[in-house]
Amino acid sequence: MSFMQTQMLIDEAVESLQSKIDDTAIIACSGGIDSSVAAVLAHRAVGSLLHCVYVDTGFMRKNESIEVAEMFLEMGINLKVVDASDRFFRELEGITDPEEKRKIIGEQFIRVFEDEKKLCGAKFLVQGTIAPDWIESGGGERDVIKSHHNVGGLPDDFELVIVEPLREFYKDEVRSIARVLNIKSSERQPFPGPGLAVRVLGNLTKERVEACREACHIVETRLQDAASAGKCDLPWQYFAALLPVRSVGVHGDVRVHGETVVVRAVTSLDGMSAKYSPIPHEILSSISTEITNALKGQVNRVVYDITHKPPGTIEWE
Ligand code: XMP
């Protein structure tokens, strides 16, 4: 898409938002590209009528909450940060089924939002839903693949008019819009709404989520460094997931019965299909060593996922 075409899409979206929103609106901002684009468009359209809320679920990446707050500050948009992590961990205790996890996370999100809605008296809810979100959540004729947490699940008495400025767009189009809007996270890789919760298979304890957070951080920084040094292309998405698979290992002279980290890196255009990235072995090797050193006693095996989408999905849950 050319700059002019993108600018036209932006103008149309802002005009459409202006015609739809005539009272206080609220939006959940994760800092990701979709919700950030939706927030900037809505802020352009209605200014201070828009209330931006960042919910820290406890499933964010390393340093993410601080970085998002800084990004909004730089864009001159007010962002309220709500730490709801204890509530999320409590509600998810003992839940291991992926769909159940997503439903609970979606519900808790709505609860936190209901509180925020009451506080600001919002009448409209702006959402950064993009086309693959509702298509994979069973829009049209398809089966539900995953319940994307920004789709559906709203209680009947929620009484907010939903406005979705990006509903017809795919990821690559949203990225073009983000670049033209100068949004700092425009080059950031996608991150799922339920966050690390869908990358920690099995029980969601604080300790296991922290391990996944550290492993994700290592994968992100190592691959970014390697790409900057020209050793590989930066994949479209790259992360780690923690598997509840224990295997026997050894650290020094000590036998360890630790869990498994899987490294995932894919190339894709819009997330609807993907190919696993052929990361050079020496980079995978250094990632493996760094993860097992950082998570000594907890993780003693690192594997690389070589599944395309389909038949796999990009995330593991
Ligand atoms: P899957 O795992 O379905 O993911 O192949 C496709 C893309 O969508 C991201 N993803 C989500 N994004 N809410 C989102 O906004 C979600 O619930 C969600 N689940 C997955 C995933 O990271 C990938 O980029």
Side-chain angles (χ1 to χ4, degrees), residues 74-124:
E74 282 168 21
M75 294 194 295
I77 302 176
N78 253 334
L79 180 75
K80 179 172 178 185
V81 177
V82 180
D83 181 357
S85 52
D86 284 344
R87 172 181 192 153
F88 278 85
F89 275 105
R90 196 173 52 241
E91 295 297 325
L92 286 159
E93 202 179 324
I95 307 292
T96 55
D97 178 73
E99 273 301 292
E100 219 181 316
K101 276 184 190 172
R102 281 176 175 268
K103 293 256 152 68
I104 291 173
I105 292 168
E107 276 165 24
Q108 290 310 309
F109 225 92
I110 301 296
R111 298 261 166 89
V112 175
F113 245 72
E114 267 176 328
D115 295 346
E116 293 305 316
K117 172 196 122 179
K118 281 183 197 140
L119 282 174
C120 71
K123 301 282 182 295
F124 293 87

Side-chain angles (χ1 to χ4, degrees), residues 254-289:
V254 183
R255 177 188 179 278
V256 186
H257 199 210
E259 290 195 307
T260 306
V261 160
V262 57
V263 177
R264 182 85 164 130
V266 297
T267 54
S268 177
L269 181 65
D270 54 16
M272 296 295 283
S273 63
K275 295 259 179 232
Y276 86 82
S277 299
I279 304 294
H281 275 258
E282 65 270 23
I283 301 171
L284 287 173
S285 170
S286 71
I287 287 174
S288 163
T289 306

Side-chain angles (χ1 to χ4, degrees), residues 99 102 129 131-140 142-152:
E99 273 301 292
R102 281 176 175 268
T129 315
D133 296 345
W134 57 265
I135 292 170
E136 295 202 341
S137 294
R142 298 169 187 232
D143 285 343
V144 175
I145 299 170
K146 294 175 187 181
S147 306
H148 283 229
H149 98 269
N150 36 359
V151 180

Side-chain angles (χ1 to χ4, degrees), residues 69-232:
E70 282 173 0
M71 183 178 91
F72 274 77
L73 193 68
E74 282 168 21
M75 294 194 295
I77 302 176
N78 253 334
L79 180 75
K80 179 172 178 185
V81 177
V82 180
D83 181 357
S85 52
D86 284 344
R87 172 181 192 153
F88 278 85
F89 275 105
R90 196 173 52 241
E91 295 297 325
L92 286 159
E93 202 179 324
I95 307 292
T96 55
D97 178 73
E99 273 301 292
E100 219 181 316
K101 276 184 190 172
R102 281 176 175 268
K103 293 256 152 68
I104 291 173
I105 292 168
E107 276 165 24
Q108 290 310 309
F109 225 92
I110 301 296
R111 298 261 166 89
V112 175
F113 245 72
E114 267 176 328
D115 295 346
E116 293 305 316
K117 172 196 122 179
K118 281 183 197 140
L119 282 174
C120 71
K123 301 282 182 295
F124 293 87
L125 173 69
V126 181
Q127 293 211 111
T129 315
I130 64 170
D133 296 345
W134 57 265
I135 292 170
E136 295 202 341
S137 294
E141 300 298 309
R142 298 169 187 232
D143 285 343
V144 175
I145 299 170
K146 294 175 187 181
S147 306
H148 283 229
H149 98 269
N150 36 359
V151 180
L154 294 173
D156 293 340
D157 60 355
F158 201 48
E159 291 172 350
L160 279 176
V161 180
I162 297 176
V163 186
E164 295 176 318
L166 308 177
R167 200 178 156 77
E168 303 305 326
F169 295 133
Y170 286 83
K171 202 83 197 182
D172 51 321
E173 296 167 322
V174 179
R175 206 182 288 282
S176 303
I177 297 175
R179 284 188 190 128
V180 171
L181 290 174
N182 238 334
I183 294 174
K184 210 169 147 189
S185 61
S186 64
E187 304 310 319
R188 234 175 58 159
Q189 58 162 327
F191 187 60
L196 298 178
V198 296
R199 294 181 179 172
V200 175
L201 282 76
N203 275 326
L204 287 164
T205 62
K206 286 192 175 172
E207 192 193 16
R208 297 189 73 234
V209 172
E210 189 50 46
C212 181
R213 181 177 292 123
E214 192 55 39
C216 270
H217 179 68
I218 292 169
V219 172
E220 285 195 20
T221 46
R222 281 301 140 254
L223 283 176
Q224 282 160 4
D225 289 352
S228 305
K231 292 181 184 159
C232 69

